[in-house]
């Protein structure tokens, strides 16, 4: 699965270098076998963000994109989209993806993270619960959060030094640390159906998609 993620990330037009950050020797060996660039990191990191920050500290760049290893179907163009909003707006420290969610079962699933956004697309809150709560049955948009992040490198290094926060720990969602410390996260809408592998059922869905996959779509 990590090879699928690596090759798709490397295909993004905005990506100058693709690096796998891991503390697992099995992952290091797998990446080395297909010729990927891999860096071993400290096993003491509490989150993937901290792991990415360790590698980012040695890089000479302005924007760092964190493509998590559970996104084997990620479209390269969505990486460009998330990085692009930071390139276009220097005031933004961080960005991520959201996708419209209509399935009531998925909305209720705690493995699927939801995000509530402001009119400008900035995230207001992330939750495993069905949010927003629709008390009066009015038409309301529900957004699925997709765990693809772009950071301004300077902010990523600062974020790794921020203390964990109560909502982050309650929801087990590290992006809440950003909001609780008063920083912005711009969300970018996508229609690409990128499955995050959080359960065995997700893995089977991905395997079926990959078995029937066409070559990567070219983005223009």
């Amino acid at each position: 699965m990590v090879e699928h993620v690596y090759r798709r990330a490397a295909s993004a037009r905005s990506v100058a270098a693709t690096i796998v950050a891991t503390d697992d020797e099995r992952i290091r060996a797998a990446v080395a076998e297909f010729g990927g660039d891999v860096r071993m990191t400290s096993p003491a990191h509490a989150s993937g963000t901290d792991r990415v920050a360790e590698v980012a500290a040695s890089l000479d760049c302005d924007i760092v994109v964190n493509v998590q290893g559970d996104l084997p179907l990620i479209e390269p163009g969505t990486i460009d989209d998330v990085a692009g909003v930071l390139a276009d707006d220097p005031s933004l420290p961080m960005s991520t993806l959201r996708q419209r969610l209509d399935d009531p079962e998925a909305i209720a699933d705690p493995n699927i993270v939801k995000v509530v956004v402001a009119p400008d697309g900035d995230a207001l809150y992330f939750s495993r619960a069905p949010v927003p709560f629709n008390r009066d049955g009015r038409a309301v948009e529900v957004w699925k959060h997709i765990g693809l992040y772009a950071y301004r490198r300077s902010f990523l290094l600062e974020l790794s030094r921020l203390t964990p926060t109560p909502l982050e720990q309650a929801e087990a969602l590290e992006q809440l640390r950003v909001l609780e410390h008063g920083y912005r996260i711009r969300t970018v809408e996508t229609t690409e159906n990128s499955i995050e592998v959080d359960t065995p059922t997700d893995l089977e869905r991905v395997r079926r998609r990959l078995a029937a996959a066409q070559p990567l779509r070219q983005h223009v």
Side-chain angles (χ1 to χ4, degrees):
M1 187 163 69
V2 68
E3 183 175 358
H4 284 287
V5 179
Y6 186 97
R7 296 196 183 283
R8 285 172 176 265
S11 297
R13 292 182 175 182
S14 59
V15 171
T18 305
I19 302 167
V20 175
T22 184
D23 66 348
D24 192 312
E25 173 58 29
R26 295 168 298 177
I27 294 175
R28 188 210 63 77
V31 175
E33 185 174 354
F34 67 74
D37 187 354
V38 58
R39 311 282 176 90
M40 293 298 287
T41 61
S42 168
H45 292 310
S47 69
T49 301
D50 296 335
R51 193 175 314 285
V52 173
E54 179 185 335
V55 174
S58 65
L59 302 179
D60 181 17
C61 62
D62 179 44
I63 295 172
V64 177
V65 180
N66 179 2
V67 185
Q68 300 189 59
D70 61 0
L71 288 169
L73 301 179
I74 193 70
E75 284 288 345
T78 61
I79 297 172
D80 294 329
D81 292 342
V82 169
V85 296
L86 296 191
D88 292 341
D89 186 347
S91 72
L92 291 173
M94 178 177 172
S95 57
T96 191
L97 277 181
R98 61 182 162 97
Q99 181 182 42
R100 195 178 305 276
L101 194 58
D102 299 314
D103 179 9
E105 185 175 339
I107 292 171
D109 187 345
N111 292 307
I112 296 177
V113 178
K114 277 68 67 175
V115 57
V116 180
V117 299
D120 64 359
D122 281 1
L124 296 174
Y125 190 66
F126 297 86
S127 183
R128 298 182 183 278
V131 291
F133 177 70
N134 192 356
R135 189 186 70 172
D136 299 324
R138 300 179 182 181
V140 62
E141 291 179 326
V142 179
W143 298 101
K144 172 186 176 181
H145 174 239
I146 298 173
L148 170 71
Y149 303 96
Y151 307 90
R152 212 159 295 284
R153 176 180 172 276
S154 57
F155 174 70
L156 174 59
L157 300 183
E158 180 181 354
L159 175 59
S160 68
R161 295 189 289 266
L162 295 177
T163 56
T165 52
L167 293 175
E168 171 194 2
Q169 294 171 325
E171 294 261 18
L173 297 173
E174 60 188 275
Q175 61 269 37
L176 287 172
R177 185 188 312 179
V178 178
L179 300 183
E180 287 188 87
H181 280 283
Y183 295 97
R184 299 163 62 200
I185 303 176
R186 175 63 51 84
T187 69
V188 179
E189 181 180 357
T190 181
T191 58
E192 299 290 350
N193 186 21
S194 184
I195 301 171
E196 294 179 272
V197 180
D198 297 317
T199 67
T201 300
D202 295 334
L203 181 58
E204 288 306 313
R205 290 170 62 205
V206 165
R207 283 173 172 165
R208 289 194 297 269
R209 285 270 298 274
L210 289 174
Q214 299 298 315
L216 284 179
R217 177 166 63 84
Q218 295 297 312
H219 292 264
V220 296

